[in-house]
Amino acid sequence: MPTIQPARQDSLTVAPAAASAGTRTLALDIGGTGLKALLLGPDGAALTERLRVPTPRPATPEALLHAIWHLIEPLGEFDRISVGFPGVVVDGVTKTAPNLHELWQGFDLGKALAEGSRRPVRVLNDAGVQGYGVIEGKGLEMVLTLGTGLGCGLYLDGKYVPNLELAHHPFRHGKTYEEYVGAKALKAVGKKKWNKRVERVIEQVLPIWNPRRLYLGGGNAKHVKLELPDNVKLTPNIAGLLGGIALWHDVVDVAKAVDAPDNAR
Ligand code: BGC
């Protein structure tokens, strides 16, 4: 079973041109606030800087696809695509997208990207991909991403348990986890109270799931100023892209590939 190396830093080490031969993976991280993209080399190292544009509003499939094609233009050639999507994904089809648009219910994102790029595509929940950028691949590991929404990923010996939507489970005072610590809550209550809330979430989650490690990621993890238990780690948001390489490892059989159309190069 491959060990997935954690991403240790927020700033990227971009591989030199000489190291960039071989399969190139376009990694896409679709977020409620930003769309991010970079190219990864065969070993998962970043070959380019990360590009980012704001998520278009309304965030319909059509608007996002348009923005994605535009965003990735400067990145150049690639052989396959890995996508992190902020909702439930089954076999490349998006089932929910609480922070995007209702038109994502039942949208075949894998197919749309494979047809548009003529490359094979694998799509997974965004927190699922993020976790693959940080886990060690040993025992039970969990990731919570603090961003527009609350992402959640669970892994057993490096194998992802898909679509665990803790975000929308009731938590406290009539609020779901996402309503309690999502980006709207951070804006509404401020960093100090929000940190207290994140602490309560951690205290709730640890004794229920008993992960060996709990990783905190997502764009708002940088605002976490807590003394964390030994097995809780803050991780950089770039993992949401770097984790994309793992979707092509055998162990990740939940991100079923959507093949490129027959006439692909
Ligand atoms: C969605 C999750 C997603 C998270 C972070 C939640 O609202 O339900 O699927 O992982 O936001 O984007």
Side-chain angles (χ1 to χ4, degrees):
M1 200 168 284
T3 305
I4 292 134
Q5 291 302 319
R8 289 172 208 286
Q9 53 185 33
D10 220 0
S11 62
L12 274 180
T13 310
V14 176
S20 67
T23 305
R24 289 166 165 245
T25 305
L26 167 66
L28 291 174
D29 182 3
I30 299 180
T33 315
L35 304 177
K36 290 139 268 174
L38 54 63
L39 294 192
L40 301 171
D43 57 352
L47 298 177
T48 65
E49 297 296 335
R50 186 192 80 148
L51 300 181
R52 182 187 188 280
V53 285
T55 304
R57 293 283 159 186
T60 59
E62 199 189 342
L64 257 79
L65 283 169
H66 184 78
I68 288 169
W69 298 134
H70 193 65
L71 171 71
I72 65 173
E73 232 167 65
L75 292 175
E77 284 292 307
F78 53 85
D79 305 289
R80 58 190 187 187
I81 308 181
S82 294
V83 191
F85 181 83
V88 173
V89 183
V90 179
D91 296 344
V93 177
T94 62
K95 302 290 181 182
T96 65
N99 295 299
L100 295 178
H101 194 279
E102 60 190 27
L103 283 176
W104 287 98
Q105 282 168 30
F107 183 76
D108 200 337
L109 177 60
K111 190 168 170 229
L113 289 171
E115 283 180 358
S117 65
R118 312 214 154 271
R119 301 286 182 275
V121 179
R122 292 190 176 191
V123 192
L124 205 69
N125 172 266
D126 56 352
V129 177
Q130 179 106 19
Y132 271 122
V134 297
I135 59 168
E136 293 172 347
K138 279 188 276 171
L140 192 77
E141 295 175 271
M142 190 172 193
V143 60
L144 291 180
T145 63
L146 300 159
T148 313
L150 176 78
C152 177
L154 195 66
Y155 307 80
L156 182 59
D157 292 335
K159 194 170 168 116
Y160 173 60
V161 179
N163 298 319
L164 178 61
E165 289 282 301
L166 189 66
H168 310 292
H169 194 277
F171 179 51
R172 235 177 114 92
H173 303 316
K175 288 186 168 45
T176 62
Y177 281 82
E178 179 162 304
E179 287 163 345
Y180 197 66
V181 291
K184 278 192 195 140
L186 171 59
K187 199 164 172 217
V189 303
K191 284 183 196 159
K192 197 167 166 205
K193 275 199 181 153
W194 178 82
N195 264 277
K196 190 73 212 155
R197 287 184 173 199
V198 172
E199 190 169 37
R200 286 201 189 103
V201 166
I202 295 169
E203 281 166 8
Q204 179 80 10
V205 160
L206 284 180
I208 294 179
W209 301 95
N210 295 294
R212 247 187 76 249
R213 294 242 190 287
L214 171 63
Y215 305 95
L216 301 179
N220 287 334
K222 58 179 178 287
H223 300 305
V224 173
K225 306 279 180 245
L226 293 168
E227 243 183 69
L228 296 169
D230 282 351
N231 62 341
V232 181
K233 309 273 175 223
L234 282 172
T235 60
N237 201 27
I238 193 76
L241 289 165
L242 300 182
I245 199 70
L247 305 199
W248 300 91
H249 295 165
D250 288 346
V251 68
V252 189
D253 54 8
V254 289
K256 203 179 125 204
V258 179
D259 291 331
D262 282 348
N263 55 349
R265 274 179 289 157

